[in-house]
mmCIF file of all heavy atoms in Angstrom:
data_model
loop_
_atom_site.group_PDB
_atom_site.id
_atom_site.type_symbol
_atom_site.label_atom_id
_atom_site.label_comp_id
_atom_site.label_asym_id
_atom_site.label_seq_id
_atom_site.Cartn_x
_atom_site.Cartn_y
_atom_site.Cartn_z
ATOM 1 N N LEU A 30 -3.008 11.506 -6.548
ATOM 2 C CA LEU A 30 -3.859 10.915 -7.559
ATOM 3 C C LEU A 30 -3.535 11.653 -8.878
ATOM 4 O O LEU A 30 -4.239 12.597 -9.250
ATOM 5 C CB LEU A 30 -5.340 11.152 -7.214
ATOM 6 C CG LEU A 30 -6.007 10.003 -6.458
ATOM 7 C CD1 LEU A 30 -7.480 10.338 -6.280
ATOM 8 C CD2 LEU A 30 -5.825 8.710 -7.167
ATOM 9 N N LEU A 129 -1.293 -3.759 -10.558
ATOM 10 C CA LEU A 129 -2.596 -4.255 -10.273
ATOM 11 C C LEU A 129 -3.655 -3.204 -10.171
ATOM 12 O O LEU A 129 -4.866 -3.545 -10.120
ATOM 13 C CB LEU A 129 -2.550 -5.033 -8.909
ATOM 14 C CG LEU A 129 -1.546 -6.224 -8.972
ATOM 15 C CD1 LEU A 129 -1.547 -6.913 -7.621
ATOM 16 C CD2 LEU A 129 -1.905 -7.249 -10.071
ATOM 17 N N LEU A 130 -3.223 -1.907 -10.158
ATOM 18 C CA LEU A 130 -4.251 -0.843 -10.143
ATOM 19 C C LEU A 130 -4.913 -0.717 -11.489
ATOM 20 O O LEU A 130 -6.165 -0.409 -11.538
ATOM 21 C CB LEU A 130 -3.582 0.489 -9.779
ATOM 22 C CG LEU A 130 -4.441 1.590 -9.258
ATOM 23 C CD1 LEU A 130 -5.168 1.212 -8.018
ATOM 24 C CD2 LEU A 130 -3.576 2.889 -9.009
ATOM 25 N N VAL A 131 -4.224 -0.918 -12.571
ATOM 26 C CA VAL A 131 -4.839 -0.810 -13.832
ATOM 27 C C VAL A 131 -4.809 -2.043 -14.697
ATOM 28 O O VAL A 131 -5.001 -2.101 -15.903
ATOM 29 C CB VAL A 131 -4.072 0.365 -14.730
ATOM 30 C CG1 VAL A 131 -4.192 1.688 -14.014
ATOM 31 C CG2 VAL A 131 -2.606 -0.059 -14.971
ATOM 32 N N GLU A 187 -13.420 7.456 -19.193
ATOM 33 C CA GLU A 187 -12.278 7.951 -18.446
ATOM 34 C C GLU A 187 -12.306 7.532 -17.007
ATOM 35 O O GLU A 187 -13.271 7.729 -16.302
ATOM 36 C CB GLU A 187 -12.183 9.510 -18.551
ATOM 37 C CG GLU A 187 -12.223 10.064 -19.977
ATOM 38 C CD GLU A 187 -11.002 9.886 -20.735
ATOM 39 O OE1 GLU A 187 -9.875 9.574 -20.118
ATOM 40 O OE2 GLU A 187 -10.990 9.997 -22.013
ATOM 41 N N TRP A 188 -11.137 6.914 -16.582
ATOM 42 C CA TRP A 188 -11.018 6.635 -15.130
ATOM 43 C C TRP A 188 -10.031 7.743 -14.723
ATOM 44 O O TRP A 188 -8.798 7.599 -14.675
ATOM 45 C CB TRP A 188 -10.400 5.278 -14.868
ATOM 46 C CG TRP A 188 -10.444 4.939 -13.487
ATOM 47 C CD1 TRP A 188 -11.326 5.414 -12.522
ATOM 48 C CD2 TRP A 188 -9.625 3.998 -12.766
ATOM 49 N NE1 TRP A 188 -11.049 4.887 -11.254
ATOM 50 C CE2 TRP A 188 -9.997 3.999 -11.388
ATOM 51 C CE3 TRP A 188 -8.559 3.197 -13.072
ATOM 52 C CZ2 TRP A 188 -9.433 3.196 -10.441
ATOM 53 C CZ3 TRP A 188 -8.002 2.323 -12.222
ATOM 54 C CH2 TRP A 188 -8.371 2.383 -10.801
ATOM 55 N N GLU A 189 -10.540 8.837 -14.238
ATOM 56 C CA GLU A 189 -9.755 10.000 -13.971
ATOM 57 C C GLU A 189 -8.881 9.815 -12.718
ATOM 58 O O GLU A 189 -7.852 10.604 -12.597
ATOM 59 C CB GLU A 189 -10.724 11.282 -13.760
ATOM 60 C CG GLU A 189 -11.471 11.602 -15.014
ATOM 61 C CD GLU A 189 -12.425 12.771 -14.814
ATOM 62 O OE1 GLU A 189 -12.542 13.205 -13.629
ATOM 63 O OE2 GLU A 189 -13.015 13.186 -15.800
ATOM 64 N N SER A 190 -9.221 8.932 -11.855
ATOM 65 C CA SER A 190 -8.461 8.817 -10.666
ATOM 66 C C SER A 190 -7.019 8.469 -10.924
ATOM 67 O O SER A 190 -6.122 8.873 -10.148
ATOM 68 C CB SER A 190 -9.101 7.692 -9.775
ATOM 69 O OG SER A 190 -10.419 7.976 -9.491
ATOM 70 N N VAL A 191 -6.732 7.694 -11.931
ATOM 71 C CA VAL A 191 -5.389 7.333 -12.253
ATOM 72 C C VAL A 191 -5.056 7.660 -13.683
ATOM 73 O O VAL A 191 -3.940 7.291 -14.151
ATOM 74 C CB VAL A 191 -5.111 5.794 -12.004
ATOM 75 C CG1 VAL A 191 -5.223 5.499 -10.549
ATOM 76 C CG2 VAL A 191 -6.059 4.969 -12.798
ATOM 77 N N GLN A 365 -6.228 12.057 3.090
ATOM 78 C CA GLN A 365 -5.198 11.154 2.561
ATOM 79 C C GLN A 365 -5.793 10.233 1.435
ATOM 80 O O GLN A 365 -6.940 9.882 1.490
ATOM 81 C CB GLN A 365 -4.594 10.301 3.694
ATOM 82 C CG GLN A 365 -3.306 9.546 3.327
ATOM 83 C CD GLN A 365 -2.693 8.820 4.470
ATOM 84 O OE1 GLN A 365 -3.323 8.762 5.565
ATOM 85 N NE2 GLN A 365 -1.502 8.349 4.268
ATOM 86 N N ILE A 366 -4.961 9.864 0.557
ATOM 87 C CA ILE A 366 -5.227 8.921 -0.545
ATOM 88 C C ILE A 366 -4.366 7.744 -0.405
ATOM 89 O O ILE A 366 -3.072 7.870 -0.351
ATOM 90 C CB ILE A 366 -5.125 9.607 -1.932
ATOM 91 C CG1 ILE A 366 -6.078 10.827 -2.026
ATOM 92 C CG2 ILE A 366 -5.434 8.572 -2.980
ATOM 93 C CD1 ILE A 366 -5.741 11.688 -3.181
ATOM 94 N N LEU A 367 -4.886 6.528 -0.413
ATOM 95 C CA LEU A 367 -4.125 5.291 -0.303
ATOM 96 C C LEU A 367 -4.436 4.401 -1.476
ATOM 97 O O LEU A 367 -5.594 4.391 -1.968
ATOM 98 C CB LEU A 367 -4.343 4.618 1.018
ATOM 99 C CG LEU A 367 -3.987 5.318 2.314
ATOM 100 C CD1 LEU A 367 -4.326 4.336 3.472
ATOM 101 C CD2 LEU A 367 -2.564 5.577 2.328
ATOM 102 N N HIS A 368 -3.469 3.606 -1.895
ATOM 103 C CA HIS A 368 -3.696 2.599 -2.949
ATOM 104 C C HIS A 368 -3.612 1.262 -2.219
ATOM 105 O O HIS A 368 -2.637 0.996 -1.539
ATOM 106 C CB HIS A 368 -2.675 2.700 -4.020
ATOM 107 C CG HIS A 368 -2.874 3.897 -4.952
ATOM 108 N ND1 HIS A 368 -2.028 4.019 -6.065
ATOM 109 C CD2 HIS A 368 -3.680 4.897 -4.913
ATOM 110 C CE1 HIS A 368 -2.434 5.189 -6.628
ATOM 111 N NE2 HIS A 368 -3.414 5.747 -5.930
ATOM 112 N N GLY A 369 -4.600 0.354 -2.468
ATOM 113 C CA GLY A 369 -4.555 -0.925 -1.858
ATOM 114 C C GLY A 369 -4.966 -2.022 -2.928
ATOM 115 O O GLY A 369 -5.197 -1.657 -4.048
ATOM 116 N N ASN A 370 -4.991 -3.209 -2.411
ATOM 117 C CA ASN A 370 -5.308 -4.397 -3.455
ATOM 118 C C ASN A 370 -6.004 -5.476 -2.688
ATOM 119 O O ASN A 370 -5.582 -5.814 -1.558
ATOM 120 C CB ASN A 370 -4.007 -4.844 -4.072
ATOM 121 C CG ASN A 370 -4.229 -5.920 -5.117
ATOM 122 O OD1 ASN A 370 -4.907 -5.652 -6.064
ATOM 123 N ND2 ASN A 370 -3.753 -7.079 -4.943
ATOM 124 N N ILE A 371 -7.002 -5.978 -3.332
ATOM 125 C CA ILE A 371 -7.682 -7.216 -2.866
ATOM 126 C C ILE A 371 -6.727 -8.325 -3.363
ATOM 127 O O ILE A 371 -6.753 -8.698 -4.539
ATOM 128 C CB ILE A 371 -9.096 -7.345 -3.355
ATOM 129 C CG1 ILE A 371 -9.956 -6.200 -2.895
ATOM 130 C CG2 ILE A 371 -9.676 -8.673 -2.866
ATOM 131 C CD1 ILE A 371 -9.933 -6.031 -1.435
ATOM 132 N N GLU A 391 -16.409 11.663 4.197
ATOM 133 C CA GLU A 391 -16.884 10.888 2.992
ATOM 134 C C GLU A 391 -15.746 9.899 2.646
ATOM 135 O O GLU A 391 -14.649 10.320 2.377
ATOM 136 C CB GLU A 391 -17.193 11.798 1.862
ATOM 137 C CG GLU A 391 -17.618 11.056 0.563
ATOM 138 C CD GLU A 391 -17.780 11.952 -0.591
ATOM 139 O OE1 GLU A 391 -16.877 12.662 -1.023
ATOM 140 O OE2 GLU A 391 -18.973 12.031 -1.076
ATOM 141 N N ILE A 392 -16.114 8.635 2.582
ATOM 142 C CA ILE A 392 -15.071 7.570 2.279
ATOM 143 C C ILE A 392 -15.436 6.915 1.013
ATOM 144 O O ILE A 392 -16.591 6.511 0.841
ATOM 145 C CB ILE A 392 -15.036 6.559 3.449
ATOM 146 C CG1 ILE A 392 -14.797 7.226 4.836
ATOM 147 C CG2 ILE A 392 -13.932 5.484 3.175
ATOM 148 C CD1 ILE A 392 -15.157 6.320 5.929
ATOM 149 N N VAL A 393 -14.471 6.881 0.038
ATOM 150 C CA VAL A 393 -14.759 6.330 -1.291
ATOM 151 C C VAL A 393 -13.667 5.322 -1.629
ATOM 152 O O VAL A 393 -12.494 5.608 -1.450
ATOM 153 C CB VAL A 393 -14.829 7.412 -2.370
ATOM 154 C CG1 VAL A 393 -15.177 6.759 -3.718
ATOM 155 C CG2 VAL A 393 -15.869 8.464 -2.008
ATOM 156 N N ALA A 394 -14.079 4.175 -2.166
ATOM 157 C CA ALA A 394 -13.107 3.178 -2.760
ATOM 158 C C ALA A 394 -13.476 3.019 -4.199
ATOM 159 O O ALA A 394 -14.571 2.546 -4.533
ATOM 160 C CB ALA A 394 -13.261 1.790 -1.940
ATOM 161 N N MET A 395 -12.402 3.348 -5.031
ATOM 162 C CA MET A 395 -12.576 3.287 -6.506
ATOM 163 C C MET A 395 -11.755 2.289 -7.096
ATOM 164 O O MET A 395 -10.558 2.085 -6.653
ATOM 165 C CB MET A 395 -12.141 4.704 -6.969
ATOM 166 C CG MET A 395 -12.943 5.901 -6.459
ATOM 167 S SD MET A 395 -12.136 7.515 -6.819
ATOM 168 C CE MET A 395 -10.957 7.559 -5.437
ATOM 169 N N SER A 396 -12.318 1.633 -8.132
ATOM 170 C CA SER A 396 -11.496 0.560 -8.766
ATOM 171 C C SER A 396 -12.196 0.245 -10.129
ATOM 172 O O SER A 396 -13.341 0.514 -10.347
ATOM 173 C CB SER A 396 -11.535 -0.745 -7.921
ATOM 174 O OG SER A 396 -10.844 -1.792 -8.594
ATOM 175 N N ILE A 397 -11.266 -0.315 -11.054
ATOM 176 C CA ILE A 397 -11.856 -0.876 -12.293
ATOM 177 C C ILE A 397 -11.904 -2.380 -12.293
ATOM 178 O O ILE A 397 -12.541 -3.043 -13.094
ATOM 179 C CB ILE A 397 -11.075 -0.450 -13.529
ATOM 180 C CG1 ILE A 397 -9.537 -0.878 -13.373
ATOM 181 C CG2 ILE A 397 -11.172 1.091 -13.750
ATOM 182 C CD1 ILE A 397 -8.708 -0.751 -14.688
ATOM 183 N N LEU A 398 -11.235 -3.013 -11.238
ATOM 184 C CA LEU A 398 -11.151 -4.470 -11.172
ATOM 185 C C LEU A 398 -12.025 -4.954 -9.993
ATOM 186 O O LEU A 398 -12.130 -6.265 -9.924
ATOM 187 C CB LEU A 398 -9.727 -4.893 -10.990
ATOM 188 C CG LEU A 398 -8.756 -4.695 -12.184
ATOM 189 C CD1 LEU A 398 -7.370 -4.926 -11.852
ATOM 190 C CD2 LEU A 398 -9.242 -5.608 -13.356
ATOM 191 N N ALA A 399 -12.537 -4.112 -9.148
ATOM 192 C CA ALA A 399 -13.190 -4.566 -7.987
ATOM 193 C C ALA A 399 -14.625 -3.959 -7.911
ATOM 194 O O ALA A 399 -14.775 -2.825 -8.303
ATOM 195 C CB ALA A 399 -12.442 -4.181 -6.715
ATOM 196 N N ASP A 400 -15.635 -4.768 -7.527
ATOM 197 C CA ASP A 400 -16.863 -4.213 -7.169
ATOM 198 C C ASP A 400 -16.802 -3.964 -5.691
ATOM 199 O O ASP A 400 -17.101 -4.717 -4.774
ATOM 200 C CB ASP A 400 -18.008 -5.282 -7.394
ATOM 201 C CG ASP A 400 -19.385 -4.771 -7.024
ATOM 202 O OD1 ASP A 400 -19.468 -3.605 -6.618
ATOM 203 O OD2 ASP A 400 -20.309 -5.572 -7.204
ATOM 204 N N THR A 401 -16.282 -2.749 -5.402
ATOM 205 C CA THR A 401 -15.774 -2.444 -4.033
ATOM 206 C C THR A 401 -16.883 -2.351 -3.017
ATOM 207 O O THR A 401 -18.046 -2.003 -3.328
ATOM 208 C CB THR A 401 -14.976 -1.114 -3.973
ATOM 209 O OG1 THR A 401 -15.815 -0.082 -4.534
ATOM 210 C CG2 THR A 401 -13.666 -1.239 -4.740
ATOM 211 N N GLN A 402 -16.572 -2.648 -1.736
ATOM 212 C CA GLN A 402 -17.518 -2.551 -0.659
ATOM 213 C C GLN A 402 -16.792 -1.970 0.518
ATOM 214 O O GLN A 402 -15.600 -2.351 0.820
ATOM 215 C CB GLN A 402 -17.961 -4.022 -0.288
ATOM 216 C CG GLN A 402 -18.901 -4.097 0.847
ATOM 217 C CD GLN A 402 -19.265 -5.516 1.288
ATOM 218 O OE1 GLN A 402 -18.570 -6.096 2.051
ATOM 219 N NE2 GLN A 402 -20.312 -5.975 0.727
ATOM 220 N N ILE A 403 -17.404 -1.029 1.145
ATOM 221 C CA ILE A 403 -16.847 -0.347 2.272
ATOM 222 C C ILE A 403 -17.637 -0.609 3.549
ATOM 223 O O ILE A 403 -18.856 -0.558 3.458
ATOM 224 C CB ILE A 403 -16.667 1.188 2.076
ATOM 225 C CG1 ILE A 403 -15.733 1.558 1.053
ATOM 226 C CG2 ILE A 403 -16.213 1.879 3.413
ATOM 227 C CD1 ILE A 403 -15.725 3.106 0.690
ATOM 228 N N GLU A 420 -21.969 -0.496 -1.065
ATOM 229 C CA GLU A 420 -21.280 -1.130 -2.251
ATOM 230 C C GLU A 420 -21.264 -0.226 -3.495
ATOM 231 O O GLU A 420 -20.148 -0.183 -4.090
ATOM 232 C CB GLU A 420 -22.074 -2.495 -2.582
ATOM 233 C CG GLU A 420 -21.968 -3.532 -1.521
ATOM 234 C CD GLU A 420 -22.665 -4.794 -1.963
ATOM 235 O OE1 GLU A 420 -22.981 -4.978 -3.113
ATOM 236 O OE2 GLU A 420 -22.883 -5.639 -1.015
ATOM 237 N N SER A 422 -22.675 3.147 -4.162
ATOM 238 C CA SER A 422 -23.095 4.491 -4.160
ATOM 239 C C SER A 422 -22.098 5.532 -4.638
ATOM 240 O O SER A 422 -22.413 6.706 -4.681
ATOM 241 C CB SER A 422 -23.548 4.906 -2.723
ATOM 242 O OG SER A 422 -24.623 4.059 -2.254
ATOM 243 N N GLY A 423 -20.886 5.156 -4.974
ATOM 244 C CA GLY A 423 -19.789 6.001 -5.256
ATOM 245 C C GLY A 423 -19.598 6.338 -6.746
ATOM 246 O O GLY A 423 -18.655 7.069 -7.113
ATOM 247 N N GLY A 424 -20.450 5.843 -7.638
ATOM 248 C CA GLY A 424 -20.325 6.134 -9.003
ATOM 249 C C GLY A 424 -19.125 5.300 -9.607
ATOM 250 O O GLY A 424 -18.991 4.129 -9.459
ATOM 251 N N GLY A 425 -18.231 6.030 -10.320
ATOM 252 C CA GLY A 425 -17.091 5.390 -10.956
ATOM 253 C C GLY A 425 -17.333 4.999 -12.323
ATOM 254 O O GLY A 425 -18.336 5.171 -12.899
ATOM 255 N N LEU A 426 -16.282 4.281 -12.900
ATOM 256 C CA LEU A 426 -16.266 3.948 -14.308
ATOM 257 C C LEU A 426 -17.498 3.100 -14.665
ATOM 258 O O LEU A 426 -18.086 3.255 -15.695
ATOM 259 C CB LEU A 426 -15.006 3.181 -14.623
ATOM 260 C CG LEU A 426 -14.695 2.999 -16.119
ATOM 261 C CD1 LEU A 426 -14.486 4.357 -16.874
ATOM 262 C CD2 LEU A 426 -13.494 2.074 -16.336
ATOM 263 N N PHE A 427 -17.846 2.179 -13.762
ATOM 264 C CA PHE A 427 -19.007 1.273 -14.048
ATOM 265 C C PHE A 427 -20.174 1.520 -13.073
ATOM 266 O O PHE A 427 -21.109 0.696 -13.015
ATOM 267 C CB PHE A 427 -18.588 -0.208 -13.942
ATOM 268 C CG PHE A 427 -17.421 -0.583 -14.805
ATOM 269 C CD1 PHE A 427 -16.353 -1.203 -14.207
ATOM 270 C CD2 PHE A 427 -17.441 -0.254 -16.075
ATOM 271 C CE1 PHE A 427 -15.211 -1.533 -15.019
ATOM 272 C CE2 PHE A 427 -16.349 -0.591 -16.929
ATOM 273 C CZ PHE A 427 -15.248 -1.221 -16.352
ATOM 274 N N GLY A 428 -20.075 2.529 -12.276
ATOM 275 C CA GLY A 428 -21.126 2.768 -11.162
ATOM 276 C C GLY A 428 -21.043 1.802 -10.048
ATOM 277 O O GLY A 428 -22.012 1.579 -9.330
ATOM 278 N N LEU A 429 -19.857 1.183 -9.889
ATOM 279 C CA LEU A 429 -19.718 0.134 -8.795
ATOM 280 C C LEU A 429 -18.784 0.556 -7.661
ATOM 281 O O LEU A 429 -18.486 -0.303 -6.796
ATOM 282 C CB LEU A 429 -19.130 -1.120 -9.412
ATOM 283 C CG LEU A 429 -20.020 -1.774 -10.494
ATOM 284 C CD1 LEU A 429 -19.357 -3.005 -10.994
ATOM 285 C CD2 LEU A 429 -21.363 -2.187 -9.832
ATOM 286 N N ASP A 430 -18.360 1.865 -7.627
ATOM 287 C CA ASP A 430 -17.493 2.271 -6.489
ATOM 288 C C ASP A 430 -18.350 2.445 -5.346
ATOM 289 O O ASP A 430 -19.537 2.693 -5.339
ATOM 290 C CB ASP A 430 -16.862 3.701 -6.901
ATOM 291 C CG ASP A 430 -15.813 3.555 -7.918
ATOM 292 O OD1 ASP A 430 -15.405 2.446 -8.253
ATOM 293 O OD2 ASP A 430 -15.395 4.581 -8.395
ATOM 294 N N ALA A 431 -17.675 2.189 -4.063
ATOM 295 C CA ALA A 431 -18.400 2.223 -2.829
ATOM 296 C C ALA A 431 -18.164 3.596 -2.245
ATOM 297 O O ALA A 431 -17.085 4.210 -2.374
ATOM 298 C CB ALA A 431 -17.853 1.130 -1.936
ATOM 299 N N ARG A 432 -19.155 4.081 -1.448
ATOM 300 C CA ARG A 432 -19.102 5.461 -0.804
ATOM 301 C C ARG A 432 -19.920 5.434 0.424
ATOM 302 O O ARG A 432 -21.095 4.983 0.530
ATOM 303 C CB ARG A 432 -19.640 6.501 -1.790
ATOM 304 C CG ARG A 432 -19.760 7.957 -1.172
ATOM 305 C CD ARG A 432 -20.315 8.879 -2.232
ATOM 306 N NE ARG A 432 -20.583 10.145 -1.677
ATOM 307 C CZ ARG A 432 -21.766 10.652 -1.205
ATOM 308 N NH1 ARG A 432 -22.811 9.740 -1.175
ATOM 309 N NH2 ARG A 432 -21.942 11.821 -0.769
ATOM 310 N N VAL A 447 -12.292 -2.664 3.426
ATOM 311 C CA VAL A 447 -12.461 -2.649 1.965
ATOM 312 C C VAL A 447 -12.441 -4.073 1.465
ATOM 313 O O VAL A 447 -11.483 -4.832 1.720
ATOM 314 C CB VAL A 447 -11.420 -1.744 1.328
ATOM 315 C CG1 VAL A 447 -11.668 -1.758 -0.206
ATOM 316 C CG2 VAL A 447 -11.484 -0.336 1.844
ATOM 317 N N ALA A 448 -13.453 -4.449 0.661
ATOM 318 C CA ALA A 448 -13.544 -5.751 0.122
ATOM 319 C C ALA A 448 -14.117 -5.641 -1.268
ATOM 320 O O ALA A 448 -14.423 -4.588 -1.784
ATOM 321 C CB ALA A 448 -14.478 -6.680 0.982
ATOM 322 N N SER A 455 -7.346 -7.090 -7.417
ATOM 323 C CA SER A 455 -8.193 -5.960 -7.586
ATOM 324 C C SER A 455 -7.668 -4.766 -6.852
ATOM 325 O O SER A 455 -7.898 -4.481 -5.719
ATOM 326 C CB SER A 455 -9.652 -6.250 -6.955
ATOM 327 O OG SER A 455 -10.193 -7.449 -7.476
ATOM 328 N N GLY A 456 -6.868 -4.029 -7.670
ATOM 329 C CA GLY A 456 -6.299 -2.800 -7.057
ATOM 330 C C GLY A 456 -7.402 -1.712 -6.876
ATOM 331 O O GLY A 456 -8.359 -1.608 -7.659
ATOM 332 N N TYR A 457 -7.256 -0.838 -5.925
ATOM 333 C CA TYR A 457 -8.339 0.175 -5.686
ATOM 334 C C TYR A 457 -7.583 1.462 -5.067
ATOM 335 O O TYR A 457 -6.486 1.446 -4.561
ATOM 336 C CB TYR A 457 -9.357 -0.288 -4.701
ATOM 337 C CG TYR A 457 -8.841 -0.698 -3.343
ATOM 338 C CD1 TYR A 457 -8.704 0.241 -2.310
ATOM 339 C CD2 TYR A 457 -8.612 -2.062 -3.113
ATOM 340 C CE1 TYR A 457 -8.265 -0.190 -1.095
ATOM 341 C CE2 TYR A 457 -8.132 -2.434 -1.870
ATOM 342 C CZ TYR A 457 -7.970 -1.520 -0.837
ATOM 343 O OH TYR A 457 -7.480 -1.943 0.429
ATOM 344 N N VAL A 458 -8.317 2.546 -5.185
ATOM 345 C CA VAL A 458 -7.902 3.819 -4.517
ATOM 346 C C VAL A 458 -8.902 4.130 -3.439
ATOM 347 O O VAL A 458 -10.097 4.150 -3.647
ATOM 348 C CB VAL A 458 -7.907 4.985 -5.639
ATOM 349 C CG1 VAL A 458 -7.535 6.289 -4.992
ATOM 350 C CG2 VAL A 458 -7.053 4.633 -6.711
ATOM 351 N N LEU A 459 -8.441 4.421 -2.287
ATOM 352 C CA LEU A 459 -9.178 4.710 -1.085
ATOM 353 C C LEU A 459 -8.991 6.191 -0.723
ATOM 354 O O LEU A 459 -7.790 6.559 -0.460
ATOM 355 C CB LEU A 459 -8.870 3.722 0.070
ATOM 356 C CG LEU A 459 -9.671 3.955 1.392
ATOM 357 C CD1 LEU A 459 -11.068 3.639 1.172
ATOM 358 C CD2 LEU A 459 -9.031 3.035 2.511
ATOM 359 N N THR A 460 -10.045 6.968 -0.540
ATOM 360 C CA THR A 460 -9.922 8.352 -0.126
ATOM 361 C C THR A 460 -10.894 8.574 1.068
ATOM 362 O O THR A 460 -11.931 8.005 1.162
ATOM 363 C CB THR A 460 -10.312 9.306 -1.292
ATOM 364 O OG1 THR A 460 -11.617 9.176 -1.593
ATOM 365 C CG2 THR A 460 -9.529 9.088 -2.515
ATOM 366 N N VAL A 461 -10.437 9.528 1.956
ATOM 367 C CA VAL A 461 -11.166 9.987 3.009
ATOM 368 C C VAL A 461 -11.112 11.512 3.046
ATOM 369 O O VAL A 461 -10.038 12.080 3.143
ATOM 370 C CB VAL A 461 -10.684 9.507 4.423
ATOM 371 C CG1 VAL A 461 -11.501 9.967 5.518
ATOM 372 C CG2 VAL A 461 -10.662 7.917 4.403
ATOM 373 N N GLU A 462 -12.253 12.164 2.913
ATOM 374 C CA GLU A 462 -12.281 13.643 2.818
ATOM 375 C C GLU A 462 -13.420 14.137 3.767
ATOM 376 O O GLU A 462 -14.349 13.425 4.170
ATOM 377 C CB GLU A 462 -12.649 14.055 1.407
ATOM 378 C CG GLU A 462 -11.698 13.570 0.319
ATOM 379 C CD GLU A 462 -10.412 14.348 0.372
ATOM 380 O OE1 GLU A 462 -10.287 15.372 1.150
ATOM 381 O OE2 GLU A 462 -9.425 13.906 -0.246
#
Side-chain angles (χ1 to χ4, degrees):
L30 270 184
L129 301 178
L130 199 61
V131 300
E187 304 289 342
W188 191 26
E189 297 179 354
S190 301
V191 294
Q365 190 175 12
I366 299 166
L367 297 180
H368 290 183
N370 185 60
I371 302 300
E391 179 183 61
I392 307 163
V393 180
M395 300 167 277
S396 179
I397 59 168
L398 291 173
D400 182 359
T401 54
Q402 180 185 88
I403 295 175
E420 293 183 14
S422 298
L426 192 66
F427 306 127
L429 298 177
D430 291 348
R432 172 179 175 267
V447 180
S455 306
Y457 60 85
V458 179
L459 180 65
T460 65
V461 180
E462 302 287 350

